[in-house]
C-alpha cells in the first residue's frame, strides 16, 4: 500500500473544466511506470489467495461489467475493423523503455513490448511470466530466478538472464534518471556500483544463461516481486556503447523499443498514434488481435470517438451522465471497478487539539460523510473507514467502527476530552477556543460539497470553522511547512498494503502522525513472509488505524473502461490493466 | 535600407537577452520543479536529490541561467525532461501540425475578411452589412470549445461527414494523395472553428479602414474621371486600406507556430499548444524556456518584417 499523493485535480476534475483538463500528464493515473510496485510474497506454486468478497452492500449498477445491449448498433468503422483494436488514451510521450517511461500511457505501450519474470494477476498478486520458477532462501536474502528456456526477442536473438542483469546495472548507474528507485531494493553491492566504487554489482550472480541469483541486504515481504518486475532489455541492443556513468546514448532508443513481448512497435507519430503488430513468436502464444493501435484522445472527445467507432475502448471518468450516455449507445461494454485510492481529510498532528484521539473521533462522528460522498459521486463511491481498497486481500471489516453520523456521540466525546461549550457557543479548553482553519482547494468538486456540510456539522458541535481557498500547490506547500489545520486530498494505493503514510517519520507521513502500535504492525507486516500471518498483521493494523483515526477517511470512488462489445477476453481489475490480457483477447 | 535592417537586427539582441532573463526568472520563481510536479509517491529524498543533481537543478539560479543561456547560444536547447528527447526534436514533432492549421486559417480568414470588409464598407448600413456584422459578432462571441463540440456533434456524429478528431485515420497508413485527403478531412472542422473566431475582428478592421479610405478625395477623383467602380474599390481604395493590415500580418508570424491550446484538445489535434501547456504544468523547464524563446524570436522578427514591408508598400514612410 505504498500510496500516491495524487493531485486533487487528478482524482476527479479532468472533465470538469477545459483548462483544468489541460493539465495533461499531471493526470497521474494510478501507477507511474516502472514504479516499484510491491506485491505480497508467497511461494510461486502456492495457490493464489482469492480476495475475499468483503464488500459491503454495493448499490445496484454502481460496479461491475455491464455487457453491450445491442451489437447491431455498432457503428460501421468499428464493426468493419476485423483485425485491429484501437485503444483511446492520452497521447504517450514516446518514452517506450520500461526503465525510463514515466506516464501510464507510455506504460500501456511498452508493457506489451517487454516481458518480466513476473506478471500481475487480477487480484493484485503475481504469477510467473518469463520465470519458470523462483527460489527464495529461508532468510529471504537470496532470490534465484529460473528463466523459461527458448524465449526469443522479436529480432530473433535469445532472451538470457544477462539481459536482466544488464537492466539492473542500468538502474544502478549514477546517470540513470528514470523513475525507479532501485537503491531501495537493497541489492547487495548496488550502492557501490552507483557510487562508481565497483565495476560490477556483487549481489548479482549469473549462474548460467537461464539462472540468476540476486542477493539483497534487507529482506521484505515484497522483495521477490519487486525484483521479478525488473524488465528484460536485450543487452546486445541497449548495451551497445554502455559505459558506467554515461547513459546518454540510451535516449535515442526510447522510440525504437526491442523486447520479447506480445506486440512489436511499428510506428509512432507523436501526439497521434502508436501502431503495434502482433509478435507471432510470442512465448505464450501469438496474440489473436493482429494490429493494436493506441490513438490519442482527450476528455472532451473520447465519448464522441467511442460513439463514431473511431476508437474501440477508452478510460472514462465515472459519473451518472457518462455511464448513462455510454450505456445508451448500446454497443459498449462498460466496466466499472473501485479505484485504487481513497480521499481523506488530513489533521495537523503538530497541533495539540488534533493529538487527542477523542477529538479526532468526535470530528468523524460529527461529520455527515455519507451526505458529502453521495453529493459528489452519487452511487459511484463508498464511505470508507480504513485506508485500504475493499478489493485488497488485506482489507478487513472485522472489528471496524463505521463511524455513522451521530451528533450526540460526537458531542459527548468532545465533552469527555475536556472541550466545554463556552459562553459564545464555541467549545474551549484551557482558555483555547476550538477553531479550525480549513485549507480548501480551489475548483474541487469534493471540497465544494464538503465545506458547506462540514461547516454546518461542526458549528453544531461548537467548533468555529473557517475556510480559505487556495491553489493545490499552495496547500501542499503549507502542508510541508506544517502551517494548516485540515485539508482534503487523496492517496493512491498499490496492491501491496505496505505503506509509509501512517508510520512514525514515514517517507510519506507528512502530517506528523505517530502511533507505536501502528508502527509495530506495519513493521511486522512488511517483514512477515507467511501470507496468512501477514494478513493478520494488516488486520490488526487497520483496526488500530480505524480506532485512532490518523485522518478522516472519506471515500473510495470508481474507475471505468468503456469497451466496444466486439472485443472479448480482456481482463480488467483495479490491479490488472487491460494490457496484460491483450494477447488472449479476440475481436468478433 | 540595409543599414536600417542591420540596426534593427542588432536591436533584437539586447531585447532577447532581456526576455531570456525575465522568462528564466519567472520560471525559477514558480514553486516546484519537474521532480515535485511528477508527484511520485515512491520518490525518496535521496532519489529526488540524485535526480536534481543529474538535471542540474541543485545549482544556484544565476549559474543555471548562464549554463542554459550558454547552451542556447550554441544552438543547444537541451533535452525535454518529460519527453527525454532534445527540445528541438520535440518542437519539430508538433510545431508543423500547428502550422498547417494556422496557415490555412490565416489564408481563409484574410480572404473572407477582406471581401466581407470591403463590401460592408461599400454598402454601409445596408442589409448585407447588417447581416455580416451580426454573423461575425456571433462567431466572435461563441466560445471556441463550444462551437467545436457543437460541430463535432453535428458533422461527425449526426451527419458522419467528418471524423471526430485526430489528424489521420488510425491504422490506414495512407501515402501520397490519399494521405492528403485524409488529413484535409481531419483538419476541416478545427480550421473552420479557428477561421470563424479570427475572421470577425479582421473584418471589422478592414471595414473601418476601408470606410476611411473611400471618403477620401482621391477616390472621388478616381470616380470623377469615370473609372469603373470595381477598379476604384479594389485597385485604388483597397491598396491603401490594406496598409495598416501589414502590421497585423507581422503579428501573425508567431501565431502561426504558437498552437491553439483549447482547440487542439477539442479536436485532439497533435499540435504544439498542448505540449507547451503541459510542459508548464510539469515544470519541464528546458522545453518551456526553449519554446518561449522560440516564440519571442518569431515575434521580434514579425515586428521587423512588418516594419520593412510597410516601407515597401507605402512610399510615404519609406526610409531613406
Amino acid at each position: 500500500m505504498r500510496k500516491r499523493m495524487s493531485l486533487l485535480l487528478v482524482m476527479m476534475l479532468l472533465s470538469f473544466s477545459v483548462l483544468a483538463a489541460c493539465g495533461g500528464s499531471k493526470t497521474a493515473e494510478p501507477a507511474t511506470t516502472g514504479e516499484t510496485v510491491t506485491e505480497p510474497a508467497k511461494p510461486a506454486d502456492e495457490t493464489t489467495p482469492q480476495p475475499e468478497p468483503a464488500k459491503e452492500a454495493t448499490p445496484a449498477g454502481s460496479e461491475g461489467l455491464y455487457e453491450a445491449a445491442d451489437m447491431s448498433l455498432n457503428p460501421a468503422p468499428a464493426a468493419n475493423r476485423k483485425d485491429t483494436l484501437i485503444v483511446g488514451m492520452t497521447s504517450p510521450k514516446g518514452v517506450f523503455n520500461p526503465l525510463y517511461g514515466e506516464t501510464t500511457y507510455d506504460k500501456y505501450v511498452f508493457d506489451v513490448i517487454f516481458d518480466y519474470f513476473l506478471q500481475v494477476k487480477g487480484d493484485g498478486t503475481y504469477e510467473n511470466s518469463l520465470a519458470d520458477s523462483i527460489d527464495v532462501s529461508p532468510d529471504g536474502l537470496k532470490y534465484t530466478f529460473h528463466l523459461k528456456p527458448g524465449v526469443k526477442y522479436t529480432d530473433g536473438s535469445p532472451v538470457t538472464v544477462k539481459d536482466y542483469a544488464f537492466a539492473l546495472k542500468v538502474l544502478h548507474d549514477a546517470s540513470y534518471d528514470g523513475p525507479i528507485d532501485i537503491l531501495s531494493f537493497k541489492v547487495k553491492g548496488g550502492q557501490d556500483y552507483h557510487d562508481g566504487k565497483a565495476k560490477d554489482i556483487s549481489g548479482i550472480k549469473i549462474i548460467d544463461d537461464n539462472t540468476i541469483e540476486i542477493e539483497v541486504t534487507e529482506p521484505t515481504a515484497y522483495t521477490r516481486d519487486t525484483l521479478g518486475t525488473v524488465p528484460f532489455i536485450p543487452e546486445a541492443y541497449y548495451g551497445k556503447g554502455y559505459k558506467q556513468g554515461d547513459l546518454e546514448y540510451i535516449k535515442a532508443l526510447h522510440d525504437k523499443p526491442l523486447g520479447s513481448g506480445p506486440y512489436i512497435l511499428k510506428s509512432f507519430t507523436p501526439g497521434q498514434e502508436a501502431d503495434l503488430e502482433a509478435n507471432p513468436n510470442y512465448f505464450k502464444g501469438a496474440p489473436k488481435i493482429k494490429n493494436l493501435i493506441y490513438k490519442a484522445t482527450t476528455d472532451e472527445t473520447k465519448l464522441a470517438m467511442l460513439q463514431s467507432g473511431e476508437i474501440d475502448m477508452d478510460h472514462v471518468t465515472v459519473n451518472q451522465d457518462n455511464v448513462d450516455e455510454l450505456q445508451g449507445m448500446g454497443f459498449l461494454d462498460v466496466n466499472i471497478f473501485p479505484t485504487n485510492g481513497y480521499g481523506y481529510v488530513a489533521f495537523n498532528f503538530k497541533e495539540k487539539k488534533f493529538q487527542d484521539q477523542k477529538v479526532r473521533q468526535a470530528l468523524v462522528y460529527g461529520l455527515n460523510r455519507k451526505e458529502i460522498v453521495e453529493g459528489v459521486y452519487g452511487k459511484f463511491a463508498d464511505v470508507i473507514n480504513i485506508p485500504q481498497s475493499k478489493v485488497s486481500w488485506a482489507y478487513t471489516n472485522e472489528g471496524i467502527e463505521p463511524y455513522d453520523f451521530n451528533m450526540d456521540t460526537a458531542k459527548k466525546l468532545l465533552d469527555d476530552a475536556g472541550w466545554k461549550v463556552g459562553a459564545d457557543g464555541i467549545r474551549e479548553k484551557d482558555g483555547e477556543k476550538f477553531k479550525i482553519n480549513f485549507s480548501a482547494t480551489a475548483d474541487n468538486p469534493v471540497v465544494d460539497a464538503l465545506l458547506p456540510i462540514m461547516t454546518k456539522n461542526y458549528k453544531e458541535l461548537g467548533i468555529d470553522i473557517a475556510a480559505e481557498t487556495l491553489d493545490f500547490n499552495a496547500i501542499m506547500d503549507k502542508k510541508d511547512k506544517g502551517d494548516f489545520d485540515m485539508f482534503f486530498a487523496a492517496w493512491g494505493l498499490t496492491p501491496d498494503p505496505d505503506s509509509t503514510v501512517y508510520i512514525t517519520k514515514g517517507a510519506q507521513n507528512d502530517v506528523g502522525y505517530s502511533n507505536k502500535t501502528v508502527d509495530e504492525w506495519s513493521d511486522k507486516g512488511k517483514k512477515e513472509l507467511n501470507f496468512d500471518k501477514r494478513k493478520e498483521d494488516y488486520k490488526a493494523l487497520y483496526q488500530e488505524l480505524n480506532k485512532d483515526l490518523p485522518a478522516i477517511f472519506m471515500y473510495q470512488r470508481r474507475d471505468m473502461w468503456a469497451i466496444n462489445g466486439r472485443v472479448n477476453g480482456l481482463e480488467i481489475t483495479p490491479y490488472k490493466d487491460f494490457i496484460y490480457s491483450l494477447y488472449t483477447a479476440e475481436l468478433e | 535600407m540595409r543599414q536600417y535592417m542591420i540596426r534593427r537586427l542588432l536591436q533584437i539582441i539586447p531585447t532577447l537577452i532581456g526576455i531570456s532573463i525575465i522568462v528564466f526568472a519567472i520560471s525559477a520563481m514558480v514553486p516546484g520543479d519537474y521532480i515535485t510536479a511528477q508527484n511520485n509517491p515512491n520518490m525518496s529524498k535521496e532519489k529526488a536529490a540524485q535526480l536534481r543533481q543529474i538535471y542540474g537543478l541543485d545549482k544556484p539560479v544565476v549559474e543555471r541561467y548562464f549554463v542554459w543561456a550558454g547552451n542556447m547560444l550554441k544552438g543547444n536547447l537541451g533535452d525535454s525532461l518529460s519527453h527525454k528527447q532534445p527540445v528541438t526534436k520535440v518542437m519539430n514533432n508538433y510545431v508543423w501540425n500547428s502550422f498547417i492549421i494556422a496557415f490555412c486559417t490565416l489564408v481563409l480568414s484574410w480572404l473572407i475578411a477582406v471581401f466581407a470588409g470591403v463590401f460592408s464598407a461599400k454598402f454601409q448600413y445596408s442589409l448585407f452589412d447588417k447581416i455580416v456584422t451580426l454573423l461575425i459578432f456571433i462567431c466572435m462571441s461563441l466560445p471556441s470549445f463550444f462551437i467545436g463540440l457543437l460541430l463535432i456533434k453535428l458533422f461527425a456524429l449526426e451527419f458522419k461527414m467528418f471524423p471526430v478528431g485526430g489528424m489521420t485515420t488510425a491504422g490506414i497508413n495512407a501515402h501520397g494523395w490519399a494521405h492528403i485527403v485524409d488529413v484535409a478531412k481531419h483538419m476541416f472542422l478545427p480550421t473552420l472553428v479557428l477561421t470563424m473566431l479570427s475572421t470577425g475582428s479582421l473584418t471589422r478592421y478592414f471595414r473601418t479602414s476601408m470606410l476611411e479610405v473611400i471618403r477620401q478625395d482621391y477616390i472621388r477623383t478616381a470616380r470623377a474621371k469615370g473609372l469603373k467602380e470595381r477598379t476604384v474599390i479594389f485597385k485604388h481604395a483597397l491598396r491603401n486600406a490594406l496598409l495598416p493590415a501589414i502590421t497585423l500580418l507581422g503579428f501573425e508570424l508567431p501565431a502561426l507556430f504558437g498552437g491553439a491550446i483549447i482547440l487542439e484538445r477539442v479536436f485532439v489535434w497533435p499540435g504544439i499548444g498542448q505540449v507547451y501547456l503541459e510542459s508548464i504544468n510539469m515544470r519541464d523547464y528546458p522545453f518551456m524556456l526553449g519554446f518561449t524563446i522560440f516564440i519571442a524570436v518569431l515575434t521580434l522578427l514579425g515586428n521587423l518584417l512588418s516594419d520593412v514591408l510597410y516601407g515597401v508598400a507605402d512610399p510615404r514612410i519609406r526610409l531613406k
Side-chain angles (χ1 to χ4, degrees), chain A residues 134-264:
Chain A
I134 302 169
D135 307 326
V136 183
S137 67
D139 56 4
L141 288 174
K142 283 185 180 161
Y143 297 81
T144 313
F145 292 89
H146 301 275
L147 174 69
K148 281 198 175 107
V151 184
K152 289 198 163 59
Y153 290 109
T154 48
D155 67 348
S157 59
V159 176
T160 74
V161 293
K162 285 180 192 135
D163 302 319
Y164 175 82
F166 172 67
L168 278 174
K169 251 185 173 175
V170 171
L171 289 171
H172 279 94
D173 197 277
S175 67
Y176 169 72
D177 66 345
I180 301 174
D181 187 7
I182 191 76
L183 295 176
S184 71
F185 291 25
K186 309 274 183 220
V187 176
K188 196 178 160 201
Q191 186 70 47
D192 287 344
Y193 187 80
H194 175 82
D195 298 342
K197 287 186 206 143
K199 289 263 167 281
D200 281 299
I201 302 166
S202 57
I204 302 177
K205 230 184 271 160
I206 298 172
I207 295 165
D208 58 46
D209 272 1
N210 291 315
T211 318
I212 189 165
E213 184 192 278
I214 311 290
E215 192 177 346
V216 296
T217 54
E218 199 181 288
T220 65
Y222 45 81
T223 301
R224 171 181 167 278
D225 296 329
T226 40
L227 286 174
T229 45
V230 170
F232 276 76
I233 58 170
E235 186 175 4
Y237 182 69
Y238 285 99
K240 229 184 286 162
Y242 173 62
K243 281 196 298 288
Q244 191 175 354
D246 183 15
L247 285 167
E248 199 53 35
Y249 74 96
I250 218 166
K251 288 184 180 166
L253 302 174
H254 284 347
D255 54 359
K256 296 186 270 294
L258 174 65
S260 57
Y263 283 90
I264 305 163

Side-chain angles (χ1 to χ4, degrees), chain A residues 487-507:
Chain A
F487 64 84
F488 167 80
W491 282 114
L493 293 164
T494 50
D496 193 273
D498 180 54
S499 153
T500 60
V501 172
Y502 300 116
I503 58 174
T504 307
K505 299 214 159 73

Side-chain angles (χ1 to χ4, degrees), chain B residues 211-253:
Chain B
L211 277 176
E212 247 170 57
V213 170
I214 51 177
R215 298 220 171 99
Q216 302 221 344
D217 291 342
Y218 77 93
I219 297 294
R220 197 178 306 145
T221 316
R223 287 208 181 108
K225 60 180 189 182
L227 285 180
K228 268 189 251 160
E229 185 63 15
R230 208 166 66 195
T231 325
V232 175
I233 295 291
F234 284 102
K235 201 166 166 204
H236 295 253
L238 185 62
R239 266 187 80 168
N240 276 304
L242 279 182
L243 280 180
I246 292 173
T247 325
L248 286 181
L249 203 59
F251 288 129
E252 296 275 8
L253 187 66

Side-chain angles (χ1 to χ4, degrees), chain B residues 275-288:
Chain B
V275 181
Y276 184 45
L277 184 72
E278 194 186 296
S279 76
I280 297 173
N281 284 331
M282 288 303 292
R283 309 278 189 266
D284 182 356
Y285 292 128
F287 184 82
M288 186 180 109

Side-chain angles (χ1 to χ4, degrees), chain A residues 37-322:
Chain A
V37 184
T38 54
E39 310 302 328
K42 55 184 179 50
D45 47 3
E46 189 187 313
T47 45
T48 316
Q50 293 300 316
E52 277 164 40
K55 288 174 194 164
E56 284 115 38
T58 311
S62 81
E63 208 176 301
L65 174 68
Y66 303 95
E67 300 259 1
D70 183 3
M71 285 311 292
S72 66
L73 295 171
N74 206 11
N80 295 338
R81 239 182 349 249
K82 295 293 179 208
D83 61 351
T84 304
L85 175 74
I86 303 187
V87 181
M89 66 176 186
T90 302
S91 176
K93 298 264 178 282
V95 187
F96 304 137
N97 181 328
L99 303 178
Y100 281 88
E102 278 161 358
T103 72
T104 311
Y105 313 107
D106 286 285
K107 183 185 168 70
Y108 284 168
V109 178
F110 68 65
D111 260 9
V112 296
I113 299 173
F114 291 89
D115 275 317
Y116 307 81
F117 272 132
L118 296 172
Q119 183 182 296
V120 75
K121 287 202 295 192
D123 58 4
T125 57
Y126 274 58
E127 63 185 351
N128 289 341
S129 177
L130 274 178
D132 225 2
S133 63
I134 302 169
D135 307 326
V136 183
S137 67
D139 56 4
L141 288 174
K142 283 185 180 161
Y143 297 81
T144 313
F145 292 89
H146 301 275
L147 174 69
K148 281 198 175 107
V151 184
K152 289 198 163 59
Y153 290 109
T154 48
D155 67 348
S157 59
V159 176
T160 74
V161 293
K162 285 180 192 135
D163 302 319
Y164 175 82
F166 172 67
L168 278 174
K169 251 185 173 175
V170 171
L171 289 171
H172 279 94
D173 197 277
S175 67
Y176 169 72
D177 66 345
I180 301 174
D181 187 7
I182 191 76
L183 295 176
S184 71
F185 291 25
K186 309 274 183 220
V187 176
K188 196 178 160 201
Q191 186 70 47
D192 287 344
Y193 187 80
H194 175 82
D195 298 342
K197 287 186 206 143
K199 289 263 167 281
D200 281 299
I201 302 166
S202 57
I204 302 177
K205 230 184 271 160
I206 298 172
I207 295 165
D208 58 46
D209 272 1
N210 291 315
T211 318
I212 189 165
E213 184 192 278
I214 311 290
E215 192 177 346
V216 296
T217 54
E218 199 181 288
T220 65
Y222 45 81
T223 301
R224 171 181 167 278
D225 296 329
T226 40
L227 286 174
T229 45
V230 170
F232 276 76
I233 58 170
E235 186 175 4
Y237 182 69
Y238 285 99
K240 229 184 286 162
Y242 173 62
K243 281 196 298 288
Q244 191 175 354
D246 183 15
L247 285 167
E248 199 53 35
Y249 74 96
I250 218 166
K251 288 184 180 166
L253 302 174
H254 284 347
D255 54 359
K256 296 186 270 294
L258 174 65
S260 57
Y263 283 90
I264 305 163
L265 185 73
K266 282 283 149 202
S267 69
F268 170 61
T269 328
Q272 299 181 50
E273 59 184 78
D275 294 10
L276 295 98
E277 199 179 78
N279 170 10
N281 304 317
Y282 185 50
F283 75 100
K284 290 179 193 166
K288 294 177 179 128
I289 300 175
K290 194 166 161 278
N291 299 303
L292 170 66
I293 296 176
Y294 290 105
K295 186 175 166 69
T297 59
T298 54
D299 285 308
E300 287 83 354
T301 37
K302 50 176 70 155
L303 289 182
M305 284 190 158
L306 282 165
Q307 195 179 349
S308 71
E310 280 174 62
I311 54 174
D312 288 316
M313 56 189 284
D314 209 327
H315 180 270
V316 184
T317 313
V318 185
N319 58 44
Q320 193 66 52
D321 288 348
N322 283 349

Side-chain angles (χ1 to χ4, degrees), chain B:
Chain B
M1 190 66 191
R2 179 187 288 169
Q3 214 181 1
Y4 171 75
M5 292 272 289
I6 292 170
R7 203 169 66 228
R8 284 293 304 266
L9 280 171
L10 286 178
Q11 276 170 2
I12 285 183
I13 295 171
T15 321
L16 261 184
I17 293 175
I19 291 173
S20 72
I21 291 174
I22 293 171
V23 172
F24 195 89
I26 292 174
S27 77
M29 278 188 288
V30 175
D33 56 26
Y34 182 64
I35 288 118
T36 54
Q38 280 181 338
N39 249 307
N40 182 348
N42 293 336
M43 184 80 76
S44 61
K45 288 197 177 77
E46 295 79 27
K47 174 85 182 160
Q50 200 184 311
L51 285 176
R52 287 203 174 91
Q53 193 222 334
I54 293 173
Y55 296 144
L57 292 170
D58 55 342
K59 298 196 182 90
V61 178
V62 179
E63 190 184 335
R64 264 160 56 201
Y65 173 77
F66 281 106
V67 170
W68 171 70
N71 281 336
M72 203 153 57
L73 282 181
K74 288 180 234 150
N76 174 12
L77 297 186
D79 281 358
S80 158
L81 299 180
S82 59
H83 293 263
K84 313 231 180 273
Q85 278 174 347
V87 170
T88 39
K89 193 176 165 196
V90 179
M91 268 165 42
N92 192 38
N93 278 342
Y94 293 94
V95 86
W96 299 109
N97 301 335
S98 289
F99 177 80
I100 56 169
I101 281 219
F103 184 75
C104 292
T105 305
L106 179 78
V107 171
L108 279 174
S109 59
W110 276 65
L111 271 178
I112 298 173
V114 164
F115 281 98
V118 166
F119 285 107
S120 297
K122 176 81 179 71
F123 307 107
Q124 201 188 0
Y125 304 133
S126 67
L127 184 65
F128 175 81
D129 184 26
K130 280 177 188 151
I131 291 174
V132 166
T133 311
L134 181 71
L135 276 179
I136 60 173
F137 272 99
I138 290 176
C139 290
M140 274 167 81
S141 40
L142 287 173
S144 59
F145 68 89
F146 174 75
I147 313 185
L149 292 176
L150 189 73
L151 289 178
I152 289 177
K153 175 103 181 87
L154 283 178
F155 290 103
L157 295 181
E158 301 286 330
F159 305 141
K160 302 192 195 305
M161 288 163 68
F162 297 103
V164 173
M167 190 168 164
T168 50
T169 307
I172 62 166
N173 287 320
H175 294 286
W177 183 245
H179 178 68
I180 294 172
V181 171
D182 192 38
V183 172
K185 263 190 167 174
H186 280 82
M187 67 185 282
F188 181 85
L189 289 180
T191 312
L192 179 66
V193 175
L194 277 174
T195 309
M196 277 166 81
L197 292 172
S198 54
T199 308
S201 51
L202 275 176
T203 310
R204 299 304 289 170
Y205 204 87
F206 288 135
R207 182 176 178 272
T208 316
S209 71
M210 195 70 190
L211 277 176
E212 247 170 57
V213 170
I214 51 177
R215 298 220 171 99
Q216 302 221 344
D217 291 342
Y218 77 93
I219 297 294
R220 197 178 306 145
T221 316
R223 287 208 181 108
K225 60 180 189 182
L227 285 180
K228 268 189 251 160
E229 185 63 15
R230 208 166 66 195
T231 325
V232 175
I233 295 291
F234 284 102
K235 201 166 166 204
H236 295 253
L238 185 62
R239 266 187 80 168
N240 276 304
L242 279 182
L243 280 180
I246 292 173
T247 325
L248 286 181
L249 203 59
F251 288 129
E252 296 275 8
L253 187 66
L256 278 178
F257 294 90
I261 292 168
I262 294 175
L263 277 187
E264 281 172 14
R265 279 197 68 83
V266 172
F267 291 102
V268 206
W269 192 260
I272 193 103
Q274 287 187 64
V275 181
Y276 184 45
L277 184 72
E278 194 186 296
S279 76
I280 297 173
N281 284 331
M282 288 303 292
R283 309 278 189 266
D284 182 356
Y285 292 128
F287 184 82
M288 186 180 109
L289 294 170
F291 189 69
T292 311
I293 294 297
F294 173 68
I295 290 296
V297 169
L298 285 179
T299 310
L300 294 174
L301 287 180
N303 266 332
L304 174 62
L305 197 72
S306 62
D307 284 355
V308 171
L309 285 178
Y310 220 107
V312 172
D314 190 347
R316 286 169 298 182
I317 59 161
R318 194 166 291 163
L319 290 142
K320 309 244 158 50

